Amino acid sequence: MALTLDLSGHVAVVTGSTSGIGLGIATSLAEAGAKVALNSHLDREEDHQIASDLAKKAGVEVVYIQADMSSAEACVSLIEQASEKLGTVDILVNNAGIQYVAPIEDFPVSKWDAIMAINLSSAFHTIRAAVPGMKEKGWGRIVNIASAHGLTASPYKSAYVSAKHGLLGLTKTVALELAELGATCNAICPGYVLTPLVEGQIPDQMKAHNMSREDVIKNVMLDRQPTKEFVTVEQMGAFTVFLASDAGSQITGAALTADGGWTAM
Ligand code: NAD
């Protein structure tokens, strides 16, 4: 049987998808034919505009749903609203994530709690809400956006590294639970992708390392990325489409790197 990357007839939810990697993934899924629900916690006019622009560009239905991924109820509501508006959610991309950088002894408890909620617990809540629909369809794809920091650590990122390592554990567990039900669950572990989240880290890293912006990019961020190039959001999108396609049906429970060789070192 010829395999294609056509996702027509599928319904995707991408959390945290009005910018950066999430928007890159949502764009690729829509261009592959899936109906897509975009999400953020912000409900800005531009969020709705991004959805209608993508719908026009890709020629598929795209909606924007406001939901704060730090709230369990909002995670469930996101899946429910997407199913009502577009049909049963059968592609779920857990992408929403935040970062905070500080030495462990100064790390604010509120930041630890927020990172755990948004970067880890939200995936538990959305998966829990979406799996019954996938089981009923006998088809599903879950892609969790982890990080090279799901496989390795860096100083000053205790909460982020812990949450991303946890996300890989959740990925493996869900993959085993769904293995005979036509649904897969994988994690992508990117290295540095140039997005607003990374832009936001540069001033903190400049302070922590007492370096210029240029030196932080070259000697701190891309120092561990042997290709010396940022990953692109388009590459993240294409990777996700591949996992969501029939070509990806035997890939499950995996932590797949897209890190320019970072974790090979
Ligand atoms: P970004 O800041 O550009 O985008 C994050 C998105 O999440 C935004 O759309 C934001 O509105 C949304 N968001 C934040 N808090 C939210 C909340 N409470 N509820 C709902 N949405 C919320 O970040 P990015 O760099 O595109 O990162 C996306 C994911 O990729 C994150 O999980 C991040 O940890 C991971 N990641 C990024 C990189 C990188 O280099 N950029 C590397 C590895 C992993």
Side-chain angles (χ1 to χ4, degrees):
M1 187 184 70
L3 297 173
T4 74
L5 299 178
D6 182 12
L7 298 178
S8 308
H10 294 292
V11 174
V13 168
V14 185
T15 70
S17 48
T18 54
S19 76
I21 294 171
L23 182 56
I25 290 173
T27 301
S28 295
L29 290 171
E31 287 174 342
K35 294 187 217 169
V36 176
L38 298 178
N39 154 260
S40 77
H41 55 309
L42 299 170
D43 206 18
R44 301 165 303 182
E45 215 174 291
E46 66 185 87
D47 295 325
H48 296 267
Q49 190 60 48
I50 290 166
S52 54
D53 288 350
L54 180 54
K56 252 181 245 148
K57 184 176 158 197
V60 292
E61 214 174 329
V62 178
V63 296
Y64 168 77
I65 299 171
Q66 188 274 340
D68 185 340
M69 292 298 99
S70 66
S71 145
E73 293 74 27
C75 291
V76 175
S77 165
L78 171 63
I79 301 300
E80 286 174 353
Q81 288 186 59
S83 301
E84 276 162 26
K85 289 175 201 272
L86 301 177
T88 302
V89 174
D90 58 5
I91 300 173
L92 170 62
V93 182
N94 287 301
N95 168 77
I98 58 168
Q99 174 64 285
Y100 192 82
V101 180
I104 187 75
E105 67 273 28
D106 299 329
F107 210 94
V109 172
S110 60
K111 293 290 183 193
W112 171 275
D113 290 343
I115 289 175
M116 285 298 155
I118 296 167
N119 295 21
L120 176 58
S121 299
S122 72
F124 164 74
H125 296 301
T126 56
I127 291 170
R128 195 168 170 274
V131 157
M134 293 181 184
K135 280 188 174 176
E136 208 171 300
K137 270 194 159 181
W139 195 96
R141 295 287 189 269
I142 300 167
V143 179
N144 296 321
I145 305 306
S147 168
H149 281 118
L151 297 163
T152 182
S154 295
Y156 314 122
K157 296 185 177 178
S158 53
Y160 188 85
V161 168
S162 302
K164 295 298 188 181
H165 275 69
L167 192 54
L168 297 189
L170 177 67
T171 300
K172 291 180 201 172
T173 307
V174 172
L176 296 180
E177 291 186 27
L178 300 181
E180 293 186 52
L181 300 167
T184 68
C185 181
N186 291 290
I188 300 180
C189 300
Y192 274 106
V193 189
L194 195 56
T195 65
L197 183 135
V198 168
E199 276 294 341
Q201 284 177 41
I202 294 173
D204 290 340
Q205 292 279 8
M206 285 166 66
K207 226 190 295 168
H209 295 276
N210 196 22
M211 280 183 182
S212 69
R213 178 186 163 86
E214 202 177 55
D215 283 345
V216 160
I217 292 175
K218 197 167 155 230
N219 299 323
V220 179
M221 292 179 160
L222 297 183
D223 179 51
R224 295 170 73 181
Q225 206 146 303
T227 58
K228 301 293 174 202
E229 288 180 28
F230 282 112
V231 182
T232 69
V233 297
E234 291 79 10
Q235 288 164 344
M236 292 295 294
F239 202 167
T240 304
V241 167
F242 178 78
L243 291 175
S245 75
D246 288 334
S249 69
Q250 292 304 315
I251 303 171
T252 197
L256 302 156
T257 60
D259 64 5
W262 176 338
T263 51
M265 288 203 293

